[in-house]
PDB file of all heavy atoms in Angstrom:
ATOM      1  N   PRO A1122    -223.398 -57.435-101.555  1.00 97.00           N
ATOM      2  CA  PRO A1122    -224.556 -57.486-100.668  1.00 97.00           C
ATOM      3  C   PRO A1122    -224.807 -56.241 -99.858  1.00 97.00           C
ATOM      4  O   PRO A1122    -225.906 -55.949 -99.416  1.00 97.00           O
ATOM      5  CB  PRO A1122    -224.261 -58.693 -99.761  1.00 97.00           C
ATOM      6  CG  PRO A1122    -222.785 -58.776 -99.722  1.00 97.00           C
ATOM      7  CD  PRO A1122    -222.311 -58.297-101.049  1.00 97.00           C
ATOM      8  N   HIS A1123    -223.727 -55.481 -99.537  1.00 96.00           N
ATOM      9  CA  HIS A1123    -223.835 -54.264 -98.709  1.00 96.00           C
ATOM     10  C   HIS A1123    -222.923 -53.202 -99.283  1.00 96.00           C
ATOM     11  O   HIS A1123    -221.774 -53.487 -99.655  1.00 96.00           O
ATOM     12  CB  HIS A1123    -223.378 -54.553 -97.267  1.00 96.00           C
ATOM     13  CG  HIS A1123    -224.110 -55.650 -96.594  1.00 96.00           C
ATOM     14  ND1 HIS A1123    -225.383 -55.465 -96.059  1.00 96.00           N
ATOM     15  CD2 HIS A1123    -223.820 -56.924 -96.350  1.00 96.00           C
ATOM     16  CE1 HIS A1123    -225.798 -56.574 -95.541  1.00 96.00           C
ATOM     17  NE2 HIS A1123    -224.883 -57.508 -95.710  1.00 96.00           N
ATOM     18  N   SER A1124    -223.402 -51.971 -99.350  1.00 96.00           N
ATOM     19  CA  SER A1124    -222.566 -50.871 -99.824  1.00 96.00           C
ATOM     20  C   SER A1124    -221.476 -50.599 -98.816  1.00 96.00           C
ATOM     21  O   SER A1124    -221.691 -50.654 -97.586  1.00 96.00           O
ATOM     22  CB  SER A1124    -223.409 -49.612-100.023  1.00 96.00           C
ATOM     23  OG  SER A1124    -224.390 -49.812-101.034  1.00 96.00           O
ATOM     24  N   GLY A1125    -220.281 -50.274 -99.310  1.00 96.00           N
ATOM     25  CA  GLY A1125    -219.185 -49.953 -98.415  1.00 96.00           C
ATOM     26  C   GLY A1125    -217.824 -50.192 -99.032  1.00 96.00           C
ATOM     27  O   GLY A1125    -217.665 -50.250-100.259  1.00 96.00           O
ATOM     28  N   ILE A1126    -216.831 -50.330 -98.181  1.00 97.00           N
ATOM     29  CA  ILE A1126    -215.458 -50.603 -98.582  1.00 97.00           C
ATOM     30  C   ILE A1126    -215.161 -52.080 -98.288  1.00 97.00           C
ATOM     31  O   ILE A1126    -215.423 -52.555 -97.192  1.00 97.00           O
ATOM     32  CB  ILE A1126    -214.477 -49.696 -97.865  1.00 97.00           C
ATOM     33  CG1 ILE A1126    -214.784 -48.244 -98.168  1.00 97.00           C
ATOM     34  CG2 ILE A1126    -213.035 -50.045 -98.240  1.00 97.00           C
ATOM     35  CD1 ILE A1126    -213.990 -47.231 -97.331  1.00 97.00           C
ATOM     36  N   TYR A1127    -214.601 -52.742 -99.283  1.00 97.00           N
ATOM     37  CA  TYR A1127    -214.207 -54.146 -99.167  1.00 97.00           C
ATOM     38  C   TYR A1127    -212.705 -54.286 -99.350  1.00 97.00           C
ATOM     39  O   TYR A1127    -212.097 -53.505-100.090  1.00 97.00           O
ATOM     40  CB  TYR A1127    -214.904 -55.001-100.232  1.00 97.00           C
ATOM     41  CG  TYR A1127    -216.384 -55.179 -99.965  1.00 97.00           C
ATOM     42  CD1 TYR A1127    -217.308 -54.223-100.294  1.00 97.00           C
ATOM     43  CD2 TYR A1127    -216.852 -56.338 -99.365  1.00 97.00           C
ATOM     44  CE1 TYR A1127    -218.664 -54.383-100.056  1.00 97.00           C
ATOM     45  CE2 TYR A1127    -218.204 -56.553 -99.120  1.00 97.00           C
ATOM     46  CZ  TYR A1127    -219.111 -55.574 -99.479  1.00 97.00           C
ATOM     47  OH  TYR A1127    -220.442 -55.724 -99.216  1.00 97.00           O
ATOM     48  N   ARG A1128    -212.124 -55.246 -98.669  1.00 97.00           N
ATOM     49  CA  ARG A1128    -210.695 -55.477 -98.727  1.00 97.00           C
ATOM     50  C   ARG A1128    -210.445 -56.885 -99.177  1.00 97.00           C
ATOM     51  O   ARG A1128    -211.114 -57.832 -98.720  1.00 97.00           O
ATOM     52  CB  ARG A1128    -210.096 -55.274 -97.328  1.00 97.00           C
ATOM     53  CG  ARG A1128    -208.605 -55.416 -97.232  1.00 97.00           C
ATOM     54  CD  ARG A1128    -208.147 -55.085 -95.799  1.00 97.00           C
ATOM     55  NE  ARG A1128    -206.721 -55.139 -95.699  1.00 97.00           N
ATOM     56  CZ  ARG A1128    -206.036 -56.244 -95.408  1.00 97.00           C
ATOM     57  NH1 ARG A1128    -206.667 -57.370 -95.189  1.00 97.00           N
ATOM     58  NH2 ARG A1128    -204.716 -56.195 -95.359  1.00 97.00           N
ATOM     59  N   CYS A1129    -209.480 -57.052-100.076  1.00 97.00           N
ATOM     60  CA  CYS A1129    -209.084 -58.418-100.527  1.00 97.00           C
ATOM     61  C   CYS A1129    -208.357 -59.073 -99.349  1.00 97.00           C
ATOM     62  O   CYS A1129    -207.383 -58.515 -98.806  1.00 97.00           O
ATOM     63  CB  CYS A1129    -208.188 -58.339-101.751  1.00 97.00           C
ATOM     64  SG  CYS A1129    -207.619 -59.956-102.298  1.00 97.00           S
ATOM     65  N   THR A1130    -208.804 -60.255 -98.960  1.00 96.00           N
ATOM     66  CA  THR A1130    -208.197 -60.915 -97.790  1.00 96.00           C
ATOM     67  C   THR A1130    -206.787 -61.431 -98.050  1.00 96.00           C
ATOM     68  O   THR A1130    -206.046 -61.651 -97.131  1.00 96.00           O
ATOM     69  CB  THR A1130    -209.088 -62.116 -97.345  1.00 96.00           C
ATOM     70  OG1 THR A1130    -209.181 -63.048 -98.410  1.00 96.00           O
ATOM     71  CG2 THR A1130    -210.468 -61.648 -96.921  1.00 96.00           C
ATOM     72  N   GLY A1131    -206.424 -61.564 -99.325  1.00 95.00           N
ATOM     73  CA  GLY A1131    -205.099 -62.075 -99.675  1.00 95.00           C
ATOM     74  C   GLY A1131    -204.022 -61.003 -99.755  1.00 95.00           C
ATOM     75  O   GLY A1131    -202.923 -61.164 -99.252  1.00 95.00           O
ATOM     76  N   CYS A1132    -204.335 -59.890-100.392  1.00 95.00           N
ATOM     77  CA  CYS A1132    -203.324 -58.870-100.678  1.00 95.00           C
ATOM     78  C   CYS A1132    -203.596 -57.514-100.054  1.00 95.00           C
ATOM     79  O   CYS A1132    -202.730 -56.654-100.027  1.00 95.00           O
ATOM     80  CB  CYS A1132    -203.125 -58.707-102.174  1.00 95.00           C
ATOM     81  SG  CYS A1132    -204.554 -57.955-103.020  1.00 95.00           S
ATOM     82  N   GLY A1133    -204.828 -57.309 -99.547  1.00 95.00           N
ATOM     83  CA  GLY A1133    -205.145 -56.033 -98.910  1.00 95.00           C
ATOM     84  C   GLY A1133    -205.642 -54.949 -99.813  1.00 95.00           C
ATOM     85  O   GLY A1133    -205.961 -53.841 -99.368  1.00 95.00           O
ATOM     86  N   ARG A1134    -205.766 -55.198-101.108  1.00 95.00           N
ATOM     87  CA  ARG A1134    -206.320 -54.189-102.012  1.00 95.00           C
ATOM     88  C   ARG A1134    -207.749 -53.856-101.615  1.00 95.00           C
ATOM     89  O   ARG A1134    -208.481 -54.758-101.203  1.00 95.00           O
ATOM     90  CB  ARG A1134    -206.275 -54.708-103.453  1.00 95.00           C
ATOM     91  CG  ARG A1134    -206.817 -53.711-104.452  1.00 95.00           C
ATOM     92  CD  ARG A1134    -206.594 -54.200-105.858  1.00 95.00           C
ATOM     93  NE  ARG A1134    -205.201 -53.991-106.185  1.00 95.00           N
ATOM     94  CZ  ARG A1134    -204.734 -53.905-107.420  1.00 95.00           C
ATOM     95  NH1 ARG A1134    -205.530 -54.066-108.431  1.00 95.00           N
ATOM     96  NH2 ARG A1134    -203.445 -53.707-107.633  1.00 95.00           N
ATOM     97  N   GLU A1135    -208.163 -52.630-101.738  1.00 96.00           N
ATOM     98  CA  GLU A1135    -209.485 -52.182-101.313  1.00 96.00           C
ATOM     99  C   GLU A1135    -210.282 -51.671-102.484  1.00 96.00           C
ATOM    100  O   GLU A1135    -209.708 -51.123-103.430  1.00 96.00           O
ATOM    101  CB  GLU A1135    -209.379 -51.146-100.215  1.00 96.00           C
ATOM    102  CG  GLU A1135    -208.733 -51.664 -98.957  1.00 96.00           C
ATOM    103  CD  GLU A1135    -208.141 -50.593 -98.100  1.00 96.00           C
ATOM    104  OE1 GLU A1135    -207.987 -49.443 -98.563  1.00 96.00           O
ATOM    105  OE2 GLU A1135    -207.794 -50.886 -96.947  1.00 96.00           O
ATOM    106  N   ILE A1136    -211.584 -51.811-102.405  1.00 96.00           N
ATOM    107  CA  ILE A1136    -212.535 -51.267-103.400  1.00 96.00           C
ATOM    108  C   ILE A1136    -213.735 -50.676-102.659  1.00 96.00           C
ATOM    109  O   ILE A1136    -214.029 -51.058-101.532  1.00 96.00           O
ATOM    110  CB  ILE A1136    -213.012 -52.330-104.394  1.00 96.00           C
ATOM    111  CG1 ILE A1136    -213.728 -53.491-103.647  1.00 96.00           C
ATOM    112  CG2 ILE A1136    -211.869 -52.860-105.237  1.00 96.00           C
ATOM    113  CD1 ILE A1136    -214.505 -54.422-104.545  1.00 96.00           C
ATOM    114  N   ALA A1137    -214.399 -49.748-103.273  1.00 96.00           N
ATOM    115  CA  ALA A1137    -215.673 -49.239-102.777  1.00 96.00           C
ATOM    116  C   ALA A1137    -216.759 -49.758-103.710  1.00 96.00           C
ATOM    117  O   ALA A1137    -216.602 -49.686-104.919  1.00 96.00           O
ATOM    118  CB  ALA A1137    -215.658 -47.715-102.746  1.00 96.00           C
ATOM    119  N   SER A1138    -217.837 -50.236-103.166  1.00 95.00           N
ATOM    120  CA  SER A1138    -218.933 -50.800-103.943  1.00 95.00           C
ATOM    121  C   SER A1138    -220.289 -50.332-103.437  1.00 95.00           C
ATOM    122  O   SER A1138    -220.462 -50.111-102.248  1.00 95.00           O
ATOM    123  CB  SER A1138    -218.872 -52.324-103.930  1.00 95.00           C
ATOM    124  OG  SER A1138    -217.706 -52.782-104.555  1.00 95.00           O
ATOM    125  N   ASN A1139    -221.231 -50.251-104.359  1.00 95.00           N
ATOM    126  CA  ASN A1139    -222.571 -49.795-104.035  1.00 95.00           C
ATOM    127  C   ASN A1139    -223.611 -50.867-104.336  1.00 95.00           C
ATOM    128  O   ASN A1139    -223.901 -51.153-105.486  1.00 95.00           O
ATOM    129  CB  ASN A1139    -222.858 -48.522-104.840  1.00 95.00           C
ATOM    130  CG  ASN A1139    -224.113 -47.818-104.416  1.00 95.00           C
ATOM    131  OD1 ASN A1139    -225.000 -48.426-103.813  1.00 95.00           O
ATOM    132  ND2 ASN A1139    -224.226 -46.553-104.754  1.00 95.00           N
ATOM    133  N   ALA A1140    -224.166 -51.470-103.304  1.00 95.00           N
ATOM    134  CA  ALA A1140    -225.144 -52.521-103.464  1.00 95.00           C
ATOM    135  C   ALA A1140    -226.433 -52.019-104.102  1.00 95.00           C
ATOM    136  O   ALA A1140    -227.067 -52.729-104.864  1.00 95.00           O
ATOM    137  CB  ALA A1140    -225.436 -53.204-102.129  1.00 95.00           C
ATOM    138  N   THR A1141    -226.812 -50.771-103.815  1.00 92.00           N
ATOM    139  CA  THR A1141    -228.072 -50.256-104.339  1.00 92.00           C
ATOM    140  C   THR A1141    -228.024 -50.049-105.866  1.00 92.00           C
ATOM    141  O   THR A1141    -229.077 -49.979-106.490  1.00 92.00           O
ATOM    142  CB  THR A1141    -228.483 -48.927-103.628  1.00 92.00           C
ATOM    143  OG1 THR A1141    -227.432 -47.972-103.800  1.00 92.00           O
ATOM    144  CG2 THR A1141    -228.731 -49.154-102.160  1.00 92.00           C
ATOM    145  N   ASN A1142    -226.818 -49.944-106.402  1.00 92.00           N
ATOM    146  CA  ASN A1142    -226.653 -49.841-107.875  1.00 92.00           C
ATOM    147  C   ASN A1142    -226.505 -51.195-108.551  1.00 92.00           C
ATOM    148  O   ASN A1142    -226.290 -51.217-109.753  1.00 92.00           O
ATOM    149  CB  ASN A1142    -225.475 -48.950-108.208  1.00 92.00           C
ATOM    150  CG  ASN A1142    -225.723 -47.495-107.935  1.00 92.00           C
ATOM    151  OD1 ASN A1142    -226.845 -47.079-107.724  1.00 92.00           O
ATOM    152  ND2 ASN A1142    -224.651 -46.707-107.951  1.00 92.00           N
ATOM    153  N   GLY A1143    -226.511 -52.245-107.761  1.00 93.00           N
ATOM    154  CA  GLY A1143    -226.339 -53.580-108.336  1.00 93.00           C
ATOM    155  C   GLY A1143    -224.893 -53.918-108.677  1.00 93.00           C
ATOM    156  O   GLY A1143    -224.623 -54.789-109.500  1.00 93.00           O
ATOM    157  N   ASP A1144    -223.942 -53.228-108.017  1.00 95.00           N
ATOM    158  CA  ASP A1144    -222.530 -53.483-108.281  1.00 95.00           C
ATOM    159  C   ASP A1144    -222.176 -54.944-108.036  1.00 95.00           C
ATOM    160  O   ASP A1144    -222.795 -55.627-107.200  1.00 95.00           O
ATOM    161  CB  ASP A1144    -221.627 -52.632-107.366  1.00 95.00           C
ATOM    162  CG  ASP A1144    -221.569 -51.174-107.764  1.00 95.00           C
ATOM    163  OD1 ASP A1144    -222.242 -50.790-108.733  1.00 95.00           O
ATOM    164  OD2 ASP A1144    -220.874 -50.416-107.053  1.00 95.00           O
ATOM    165  N   ARG A1145    -221.169 -55.397-108.761  1.00 96.00           N
ATOM    166  CA  ARG A1145    -220.616 -56.737-108.555  1.00 96.00           C
ATOM    167  C   ARG A1145    -219.137 -56.549-108.164  1.00 96.00           C
ATOM    168  O   ARG A1145    -218.527 -55.507-108.455  1.00 96.00           O
ATOM    169  CB  ARG A1145    -220.712 -57.574-109.816  1.00 96.00           C
ATOM    170  CG  ARG A1145    -222.126 -57.890-110.179  1.00 96.00           C
ATOM    171  CD  ARG A1145    -222.208 -58.885-111.322  1.00 96.00           C
ATOM    172  NE  ARG A1145    -223.576 -59.402-111.442  1.00 96.00           N
ATOM    173  CZ  ARG A1145    -224.097 -60.379-110.756  1.00 96.00           C
ATOM    174  NH1 ARG A1145    -223.366 -61.020-109.862  1.00 96.00           N
ATOM    175  NH2 ARG A1145    -225.359 -60.740-110.908  1.00 96.00           N
ATOM    176  N   PHE A1146    -218.607 -57.555-107.475  1.00 96.00           N
ATOM    177  CA  PHE A1146    -217.187 -57.490-107.164  1.00 96.00           C
ATOM    178  C   PHE A1146    -216.396 -57.606-108.440  1.00 96.00           C
ATOM    179  O   PHE A1146    -216.851 -58.211-109.434  1.00 96.00           O
ATOM    180  CB  PHE A1146    -216.816 -58.620-106.186  1.00 96.00           C
ATOM    181  CG  PHE A1146    -217.391 -58.440-104.836  1.00 96.00           C
ATOM    182  CD1 PHE A1146    -218.507 -59.148-104.404  1.00 96.00           C
ATOM    183  CD2 PHE A1146    -216.870 -57.474-103.959  1.00 96.00           C
ATOM    184  CE1 PHE A1146    -219.071 -58.952-103.165  1.00 96.00           C
ATOM    185  CE2 PHE A1146    -217.444 -57.272-102.704  1.00 96.00           C
ATOM    186  CZ  PHE A1146    -218.532 -58.010-102.316  1.00 96.00           C
ATOM    187  N   PRO A1147    -215.192 -57.011-108.471  1.00 94.00           N
ATOM    188  CA  PRO A1147    -214.392 -57.065-109.694  1.00 94.00           C
ATOM    189  C   PRO A1147    -214.174 -58.523-110.155  1.00 94.00           C
ATOM    190  O   PRO A1147    -214.119 -59.429-109.341  1.00 94.00           O
ATOM    191  CB  PRO A1147    -213.081 -56.431-109.304  1.00 94.00           C
ATOM    192  CG  PRO A1147    -213.416 -55.550-108.141  1.00 94.00           C
ATOM    193  CD  PRO A1147    -214.515 -56.277-107.415  1.00 94.00           C
ATOM    194  N   PRO A1148    -214.002 -58.699-111.462  1.00 92.00           N
ATOM    195  CA  PRO A1148    -213.765 -60.048-111.983  1.00 92.00           C
ATOM    196  C   PRO A1148    -212.398 -60.592-111.542  1.00 92.00           C
ATOM    197  O   PRO A1148    -211.556 -59.846-111.042  1.00 92.00           O
ATOM    198  CB  PRO A1148    -213.799 -59.888-113.509  1.00 92.00           C
ATOM    199  CG  PRO A1148    -213.454 -58.446-113.717  1.00 92.00           C
ATOM    200  CD  PRO A1148    -213.982 -57.702-112.528  1.00 92.00           C
ATOM    201  N   GLN A1149    -212.198 -61.860-111.714  1.00 88.00           N
ATOM    202  CA  GLN A1149    -210.965 -62.550-111.310  1.00 88.00           C
ATOM    203  C   GLN A1149    -209.720 -61.854-111.882  1.00 88.00           C
ATOM    204  O   GLN A1149    -208.688 -61.810-111.215  1.00 88.00           O
ATOM    205  CB  GLN A1149    -211.005 -64.011-111.760  1.00 88.00           C
ATOM    206  CG  GLN A1149    -209.817 -64.866-111.311  1.00 88.00           C
ATOM    207  CD  GLN A1149    -209.832 -65.120-109.812  1.00 88.00           C
ATOM    208  OE1 GLN A1149    -210.852 -65.195-109.169  1.00 88.00           O
ATOM    209  NE2 GLN A1149    -208.656 -65.303-109.255  1.00 88.00           N
ATOM    210  N   ASN A1150    -209.819 -61.299-113.073  1.00 89.00           N
ATOM    211  CA  ASN A1150    -208.614 -60.692-113.700  1.00 89.00           C
ATOM    212  C   ASN A1150    -208.426 -59.239-113.276  1.00 89.00           C
ATOM    213  O   ASN A1150    -207.569 -58.553-113.812  1.00 89.00           O
ATOM    214  CB  ASN A1150    -208.694 -60.829-115.228  1.00 89.00           C
ATOM    215  CG  ASN A1150    -209.872 -60.058-115.838  1.00 89.00           C
ATOM    216  OD1 ASN A1150    -210.685 -59.476-115.119  1.00 89.00           O
ATOM    217  ND2 ASN A1150    -209.969 -60.067-117.138  1.00 89.00           N
ATOM    218  N   HIS A1151    -209.185 -58.741-112.315  1.00 89.00           N
ATOM    219  CA  HIS A1151    -209.019 -57.362-111.809  1.00 89.00           C
ATOM    220  C   HIS A1151    -207.610 -57.153-111.263  1.00 89.00           C
ATOM    221  O   HIS A1151    -206.999 -56.121-111.511  1.00 89.00           O
ATOM    222  CB  HIS A1151    -210.059 -57.144-110.697  1.00 89.00           C
ATOM    223  CG  HIS A1151    -209.957 -55.821-110.011  1.00 89.00           C
ATOM    224  ND1 HIS A1151    -209.431 -55.674-108.736  1.00 89.00           N
ATOM    225  CD2 HIS A1151    -210.319 -54.575-110.398  1.00 89.00           C
ATOM    226  CE1 HIS A1151    -209.460 -54.408-108.408  1.00 89.00           C
ATOM    227  NE2 HIS A1151    -210.017 -53.722-109.381  1.00 89.00           N
ATOM    228  N   HIS A1152    -207.109 -58.091-110.503  1.00 90.00           N
ATOM    229  CA  HIS A1152    -205.725 -58.093-110.048  1.00 90.00           C
ATOM    230  C   HIS A1152    -205.327 -59.538-109.797  1.00 90.00           C
ATOM    231  O   HIS A1152    -206.152 -60.401-109.680  1.00 90.00           O
ATOM    232  CB  HIS A1152    -205.571 -57.209-108.804  1.00 90.00           C
ATOM    233  CG  HIS A1152    -206.172 -57.726-107.567  1.00 90.00           C
ATOM    234  ND1 HIS A1152    -207.527 -57.656-107.265  1.00 90.00           N
ATOM    235  CD2 HIS A1152    -205.613 -58.328-106.466  1.00 90.00           C
ATOM    236  CE1 HIS A1152    -207.760 -58.208-106.072  1.00 90.00           C
ATOM    237  NE2 HIS A1152    -206.603 -58.608-105.572  1.00 90.00           N
ATOM    238  N   GLN A1153    -204.036 -59.763-109.744  1.00 90.00           N
ATOM    239  CA  GLN A1153    -203.520 -61.122-109.576  1.00 90.00           C
ATOM    240  C   GLN A1153    -202.801 -61.263-108.249  1.00 90.00           C
ATOM    241  O   GLN A1153    -202.269 -60.308-107.706  1.00 90.00           O
ATOM    242  CB  GLN A1153    -202.552 -61.468-110.731  1.00 90.00           C
ATOM    243  CG  GLN A1153    -203.207 -61.409-112.095  1.00 90.00           C
ATOM    244  CD  GLN A1153    -204.426 -62.336-112.198  1.00 90.00           C
ATOM    245  OE1 GLN A1153    -204.309 -63.508-111.863  1.00 90.00           O
ATOM    246  NE2 GLN A1153    -205.552 -61.807-112.669  1.00 90.00           N
ATOM    247  N   HIS A1154    -202.799 -62.465-107.731  1.00 93.00           N
ATOM    248  CA  HIS A1154    -202.071 -62.818-106.525  1.00 93.00           C
ATOM    249  C   HIS A1154    -200.886 -63.734-106.853  1.00 93.00           C
ATOM    250  O   HIS A1154    -200.965 -64.511-107.794  1.00 93.00           O
ATOM    251  CB  HIS A1154    -202.992 -63.576-105.556  1.00 93.00           C
ATOM    252  CG  HIS A1154    -203.950 -62.724-104.842  1.00 93.00           C
ATOM    253  ND1 HIS A1154    -204.845 -63.260-103.927  1.00 93.00           N
ATOM    254  CD2 HIS A1154    -204.214 -61.412-104.870  1.00 93.00           C
ATOM    255  CE1 HIS A1154    -205.567 -62.280-103.439  1.00 93.00           C
ATOM    256  NE2 HIS A1154    -205.234 -61.149-103.991  1.00 93.00           N
ATOM    257  N   ASN A1155    -199.859 -63.661-106.022  1.00 90.00           N
ATOM    258  CA  ASN A1155    -198.842 -64.688-106.097  1.00 90.00           C
ATOM    259  C   ASN A1155    -199.357 -65.880-105.326  1.00 90.00           C
ATOM    260  O   ASN A1155    -200.319 -65.765-104.538  1.00 90.00           O
ATOM    261  CB  ASN A1155    -197.494 -64.166-105.601  1.00 90.00           C
ATOM    262  CG  ASN A1155    -197.493 -63.831-104.105  1.00 90.00           C
ATOM    263  OD1 ASN A1155    -197.983 -64.618-103.303  1.00 90.00           O
ATOM    264  ND2 ASN A1155    -196.954 -62.690-103.744  1.00 90.00           N
ATOM    265  N   PRO A1156    -198.801 -67.064-105.504  1.00 89.00           N
ATOM    266  CA  PRO A1156    -199.349 -68.265-104.863  1.00 89.00           C
ATOM    267  C   PRO A1156    -199.519 -68.188-103.340  1.00 89.00           C
ATOM    268  O   PRO A1156    -200.440 -68.735-102.768  1.00 89.00           O
ATOM    269  CB  PRO A1156    -198.351 -69.352-105.232  1.00 89.00           C
ATOM    270  CG  PRO A1156    -197.749 -68.889-106.521  1.00 89.00           C
ATOM    271  CD  PRO A1156    -197.663 -67.382-106.376  1.00 89.00           C
ATOM    272  N   GLY A1157    -198.655 -67.445-102.651  1.00 93.00           N
ATOM    273  CA  GLY A1157    -198.733 -67.327-101.206  1.00 93.00           C
ATOM    274  C   GLY A1157    -199.900 -66.488-100.706  1.00 93.00           C
ATOM    275  O   GLY A1157    -200.238 -66.538 -99.508  1.00 93.00           O
ATOM    276  N   GLN A1158    -200.538 -65.736-101.578  1.00 95.00           N
ATOM    277  CA  GLN A1158    -201.619 -64.864-101.165  1.00 95.00           C
ATOM    278  C   GLN A1158    -203.001 -65.532-101.228  1.00 95.00           C
ATOM    279  O   GLN A1158    -203.975 -64.960-100.754  1.00 95.00           O
ATOM    280  CB  GLN A1158    -201.653 -63.594-102.014  1.00 95.00           C
ATOM    281  CG  GLN A1158    -200.464 -62.710-101.780  1.00 95.00           C
ATOM    282  CD  GLN A1158    -200.435 -61.524-102.715  1.00 95.00           C
ATOM    283  OE1 GLN A1158    -200.616 -61.683-103.931  1.00 95.00           O
ATOM    284  NE2 GLN A1158    -200.199 -60.345-102.201  1.00 95.00           N
TER     285      GLN A1158
END
């Protein structure tokens, strides 16, 4: 929805995304969490 830097709330991994280009958040298999995350 907004261009910028996003952080995964579970593990802290970060990505940069551009809303004006129609970017989507990475798919579920982009990275994995352990059950506690």
Side-chain angles (χ1 to χ4, degrees):
H1123 303 282
S1124 297
I1126 299 171
Y1127 288 81
R1128 182 176 185 273
C1129 178
T1130 60
C1132 69
R1134 181 173 283 201
E1135 295 158 348
I1136 60 166
S1138 294
N1139 189 339
T1141 58
N1142 287 346
D1144 287 0
R1145 294 189 168 275
F1146 291 103
Q1149 183 71 29
N1150 64 357
H1151 175 256
H1152 71 282
Q1153 299 302 309
H1154 283 181
N1155 66 46
Q1158 292 175 312

